[in-house]
Amino acid sequence: MREPSETGSADGGRRGVLGAVATTAAAVAVGAAGCPSPAAPAAGEAPARTLGRTGAQVEPVSLGGEGILRTTGRHREAVPVILEALRLGVRYCDTAPAYQQSQDYYGEAFRAAGPKAREQVFLASKTHARDRDGALRLLDDSLRRLGTDHLDSWQLHDLRDLEELDAIFGKRGAIEAVEQARADGRVRHVGITGHHDPRILLEAMRRYPVDTVLCAVNPADPARLPFLTTVVEEARRRGVGVIGMKIMAAGRLLQDGAASATELIRYAASHADTVIIGCSSIAEVRENLGARSLSFPMPPAERAALEARVAPRAGRYDTFKAG
């Protein structure tokens, strides 16, 4: 069974751009600080948005499952990243069974932060299993590792082709697991994710009334296999919440100097309800969540200018799409 390569998108190159902190020292410092408590929104911060028909209130920027979270055996660095996000009042958190020990790190962080920590976030995880029994096994393992009795959103992970959809929506497919888990309270909402081919996400929305869609959103998108004018528009028409990923094209947009992090966050969050960015340090958590003070939405003329600037090298920034 393929484990998805989709990122939730720190876009790994951002780590080099933003610089590093002494992560071991940071872990000790946060651990000594005790349990985090949500920070009140600061003056001038963008108001929370509603994540489609889930009704959940989310910030323009949320915590992705990549960066230090998609590692194994790095608890001393990863758990403080989550704790800092919780302290700063993050509202949406992304993880998946395929993201190495990300779920274990979340479970440890929730225990350290206290019983209310889990309640303050909309927690999303995923299943890459396409069959009913495999999906339910992944769900139960996710709940155990996360230390929770339910997911706010359970997402069908990294959808790529029609054969997968046929398996998911066929007899004893993963959609039967979704229905069972929603009925017994282990799952509150269902979502789909993908960055490969927008046509597959469109077909998935036609086959089932999903609550959220996680898809690629960056200024290179209009050049080929666009998600913005297909998936995002259809999601809006259906009242489906939109979560953006790949907002920095795995860091390439930053590495090339094609756009600044501020521009890319503003662009993506002008299309999506929230964008997920993975982090490798406490410093990155603070910088990324601080982006909620940016001006939203980015004006249409500014978005168009950014798309035009990126277009000549768009092929370098959409390598995660179908060939």
Side-chain angles (χ1 to χ4, degrees):
M1 183 178 298
R2 183 184 76 244
E3 286 199 354
S5 61
E6 166 189 301
T7 97
S9 145
D11 292 291
R14 182 177 178 84
R15 301 197 289 274
V17 174
L18 297 177
V21 296
T23 50
T24 301
V28 173
V30 172
C35 297
S37 57
E45 288 183 356
R49 293 104 168 270
T50 301
L51 184 61
R53 57 172 165 255
T54 71
Q57 297 298 292
V58 293
E59 304 283 354
V61 182
S62 297
L63 185 60
E66 293 285 329
I68 192 64
L69 300 189
R70 192 168 184 170
T71 62
T72 298
R74 299 181 68 178
H75 296 257
R76 283 177 60 82
E77 298 154 276
V79 173
V81 161
I82 298 171
L83 288 172
E84 182 67 3
L86 293 173
R87 187 187 71 81
L88 293 174
V90 70
R91 299 189 189 214
Y92 181 102
C93 292
D94 172 80
T95 187
Y99 296 168
Q100 293 175 253
Q101 282 198 281
S102 175
Q103 295 183 120
D104 300 318
Y105 300 152
Y106 267 107
E108 188 172 333
F110 289 146
R111 289 191 296 273
K116 293 185 178 180
R118 166 65 185 92
E119 299 172 10
Q120 81 181 48
V121 299
F122 187 96
L123 182 61
S125 193
K126 309 179 179 78
T127 176
H128 53 266
R130 304 321 191 197
D131 63 297
R132 175 189 177 277
D133 293 345
L136 287 174
R137 283 194 296 270
L138 281 177
L139 175 60
D140 287 338
D141 186 61
S142 292
L143 295 175
R144 177 186 61 80
R145 293 167 66 186
L146 291 163
T148 186
D149 62 359
H150 74 280
L151 295 175
D152 296 296
S153 181
W154 195 29
Q155 301 163 332
L156 299 166
H157 196 177
D158 194 16
L159 303 180
R160 297 195 176 203
D161 55 52
L162 289 174
E163 288 74 14
E164 288 181 307
L165 295 189
D166 290 342
I168 288 167
F169 295 106
K171 186 175 181 180
R172 298 193 69 78
I175 202 63
E176 293 186 12
V178 167
E179 292 287 337
Q180 180 176 329
R182 292 181 86 172
D184 64 28
R186 283 178 288 175
V187 169
R188 292 182 176 173
H189 304 284
V190 61
I192 54 175
T193 87
H195 55 67
H196 191 66
D197 187 342
R199 293 168 294 190
I200 301 305
L201 296 187
L202 287 171
E203 178 61 23
M205 282 193 282
R206 294 186 188 106
R207 294 194 188 191
Y208 192 82
V210 300
D211 301 305
T212 65
V213 58
L214 168 62
C215 65
V217 180
N218 69 49
D221 181 73
R224 188 176 71 90
L225 292 175
F227 285 85
L228 291 174
T229 54
T230 57
V231 174
V232 172
E233 285 189 4
E234 182 65 12
R236 295 302 186 205
R237 190 182 73 80
R238 292 173 179 264
V240 172
V242 177
I243 306 132
M245 64 173 166
K246 300 288 190 184
I247 71 170
M248 297 174 194
R252 293 188 181 94
L253 284 160
L254 295 176
Q255 292 162 2
D256 292 353
S260 69
T262 295
E263 288 178 308
L264 296 171
I265 291 171
R266 289 183 65 220
Y267 179 92
S270 295
H271 293 286
D273 299 316
T274 191
V275 299
I276 52 174
I277 309 176
C279 300
S280 63
S281 69
I282 288 173
E284 288 184 16
V285 172
R286 291 170 180 165
E287 182 170 352
N288 291 335
L289 293 187
R292 56 191 170 198
S293 64
L294 296 174
S295 175
F296 297 102
M298 178 182 275
E302 192 174 348
R303 296 201 300 267
L306 181 56
E307 291 168 355
R309 189 198 315 163
V310 166
R313 301 194 70 191
R316 172 167 159 74
Y317 309 129
D318 71 358
T319 56
F320 49 81
K321 292 182 178 179

